[in-house]
Amino acid sequence: MSSEIMQAAKVYRQLLKAVKNHIGKEDYKMHFMEYVMQEFRKNSKLSDPSSIRQKIKLAHDYTFLLNSVHHHKDLLFSYNIAVDRSDEMKRILGKSAASVGLQLPEVFEP
C-alpha cells in the first residue's frame, strides 16, 4: 500500500507540473489545476488496489499526453510545418536575450 501512495504522489506532482507548464497558471486557467486536485482528493478514499492502479495509470497517461503534445508542437515550430516562422524567431530571440540578462523591446503595432 505504501508503494501505491508514493507512486500516486509522484504522478500527482508530475501531472500538476505538466498542467502548470503546458496549460498555464493564469487565474482564468486555474480550473484545470483545480479539477486535477479535486479528482485526486475524490479518489483518495479508494480501497480497491486494481481501481487505484487504474486511476494512477490514467493520470500518468494524461501527463504523458500533455508533455507529448507540447513537444510535438515545438517540433512543428522548429521544422516550420504550416506555422508562421516569425513567432518562432521572436521566441528564439527572446530566449537568447534572456540568457544574457536582456529583454526584447515591445514592438509598437498600430
Side-chain angles (χ1 to χ4, degrees):
M1 187 72 175
S2 177
S3 67
E4 290 171 347
I5 293 172
M6 295 296 287
Q7 186 179 12
K10 180 181 175 186
V11 170
Y12 180 64
R13 283 191 303 271
Q14 289 173 345
L15 182 56
L16 287 179
K17 182 178 176 183
V19 168
K20 185 171 77 172
N21 288 339
H22 305 308
I23 294 177
K25 53 187 172 188
E26 293 86 11
D27 287 339
Y28 64 94
K29 296 179 181 177
M30 284 302 294
H31 61 280
F32 291 105
M33 296 272 281
E34 290 169 0
Y35 177 76
V36 169
M37 290 186 277
Q38 177 186 6
E39 285 297 308
F40 267 84
R41 286 185 186 124
K42 181 175 76 175
N43 293 319
S44 67
K45 308 274 190 280
L46 290 177
S47 59
D48 181 31
S50 65
S51 64
I52 291 172
R53 280 192 297 275
Q54 182 182 15
K55 297 288 184 179
I56 290 172
K57 183 176 178 347
L58 179 66
H60 183 266
D61 291 346
Y62 188 68
T63 304
F64 186 73
L65 174 69
L66 279 176
N67 291 329
S68 297
V69 167
H70 183 73
H71 182 67
H72 182 254
K73 188 176 99 176
D74 285 345
L75 285 175
L76 289 177
F77 273 121
S78 69
Y79 294 139
N80 193 23
I81 298 176
V83 293
D84 185 17
R85 192 89 170 139
S86 64
D87 289 339
E88 181 190 2
M89 290 308 296
K90 276 192 241 179
R91 187 172 52 89
I92 290 172
L93 287 173
K95 283 183 177 181
S96 298
S99 70
V100 294
L102 301 173
Q103 283 184 319
L104 290 178
E106 294 294 323
V107 178
F108 177 72
E109 294 180 21

